[in-house]
Amino acid sequence: MSALSRARHLLSGCAVLALMLWLTPGSRADEPVDVELVLAVDVSLSMSADELEIQRHGYAAALTHDNVLQAIADGAHGKIAVTYVEWAGTTWQRVIVPWTVIANRADAERVVAQLSAQPPNSARRTSISGALEFGSDLFAESGYQGTKRVIDISGDGPNNQGAPVNLARDGVVRQGIVINGLPLMTRGGLSGAYDVNDLDRYYSDCVIGGPGAFMIPVNDWTQFPEAIRRKLVLELAGPASPQWAAEEADHPPVVLAQDKAAADCQIGEKMWRNRNWMLDSR
């Protein structure tokens, strides 16, 4: 084979390789969105069946609310990517709605249809750290490139299984992910030895983190739908937006992440170790 023939053969091979790489899904540029949002929802056994349904309905109503859709439309790209995950113990996380783009009401209603397709399940124990680690891994496979990446985590008790929650939080934040919280201080389910009176302080000090991180406590289930709507608007709009200022003017202020932990971030693990009865309500 002449030198010219070898050169042509080499160039042809390179062209084929380039075409194969271009056709490989993993090599394509991720679709840009304003926010990649993981909705991580507690379904531990401390939640009653009614409460699980309230959670589902609350998220469904919030995702289709005019204020939320307007916050999405006002973004630079006018769209977000969202996935909905239910979690309990260390190894119990279930993706209910896979990564989906929401740019308009029709998109939001498709997400709600997936969310409502099957009833929620519950499971033992409470591993906030497991949910955070699982949620952070989901970003690698989203197929989207968000200006901001957020894990929105809700729960009714402290971490009592898996890695220490503050260490898991710090690891997730180091990846450039913001963690916002929705502590459920409702006492409506199977409450008992594992309840924490200052769950909002626990979430503020031990769970949420990253630039602009915040949490909104829920003291009664009647507050839940409104709290979810507010939280989504604030997450999508950001602290410097007019929507944030309007929300703070109309409602009690949200609680921002603290610089130094004051709550005992191991309280859930200690309560679990010191239990004197075998009812595993979380």
Side-chain angles (χ1 to χ4, degrees), residues 46-61:
S46 57
M47 309 283 286
S48 70
D50 288 342
E51 290 171 342
L52 295 178
E53 287 296 335
I54 290 173
Q55 285 193 124
R56 284 276 190 94
H57 292 315
Y59 280 97

Side-chain angles (χ1 to χ4, degrees), residues 14-169:
C14 290
V16 171
L17 178 59
L19 179 61
M20 290 176 63
L21 290 174
W22 183 80
L23 291 173
T24 302
S27 68
R28 297 175 182 172
D30 290 338
E31 180 180 348
V33 294
D34 293 303
V35 180
E36 292 174 77
L37 178 62
V38 175
L39 299 174
V41 181
D42 181 8
V43 294
S44 57
L45 289 177
S46 57
M47 309 283 286
S48 70
D50 288 342
E51 290 171 342
L52 295 178
E53 287 296 335
I54 290 173
Q55 285 193 124
R56 284 276 190 94
H57 292 315
Y59 280 97
L63 288 169
T64 54
H65 195 282
D66 288 342
N67 291 11
V68 173
L69 295 175
Q70 187 61 53
I72 293 172
D74 288 344
H77 299 290
K79 57 185 175 180
I80 67 170
V82 62
T83 181
Y84 186 99
V85 178
E86 293 180 339
W87 59 272
T90 306
T91 60
W92 205 100
Q93 299 92 22
R94 301 290 186 273
V95 175
I96 307 303
V97 179
W99 284 109
T100 306
V101 164
I102 298 179
N104 50 49
R105 182 173 297 278
D107 293 339
E109 288 174 350
R110 280 192 289 271
V111 171
V112 169
Q114 293 181 75
L115 190 58
S116 308
Q118 297 180 356
N121 293 316
S122 58
R124 295 160 60 93
R125 305 293 292 269
T126 299
S127 182
I128 301 173
S129 58
L132 292 177
E133 290 165 354
F134 183 84
S136 67
D137 288 343
L138 290 177
F139 291 109
E141 60 190 52
S142 74
Y144 302 98
Q145 183 63 49
T147 305
K148 182 168 65 173
R149 295 182 296 166
V150 178
I151 297 176
D152 180 340
I153 190 158
S154 62
D156 72 341
N159 194 78
N160 63 32
Q161 190 180 41
V165 66
N166 55 319
L167 298 185
R169 182 266 318 274

Side-chain angles (χ1 to χ4, degrees), residues 202-252:
Y202 176 88
Y203 261 67
S204 176
D205 293 344
C206 306
V207 178
I208 66 175
F214 68 93
M215 64 93 187
I216 299 178
V218 176
N219 296 298
D220 186 272
W221 280 109
T222 59
Q223 302 172 358
F224 186 81
E226 178 67 10
I228 289 295
R229 182 202 62 76
R230 287 189 63 210
K231 194 155 181 290
L232 288 177
V233 169
L234 296 177
E235 284 168 337
L236 301 178
S241 68
Q243 291 97 323
W244 183 289
E247 289 288 350
E248 284 200 314
D250 292 341
H251 302 85

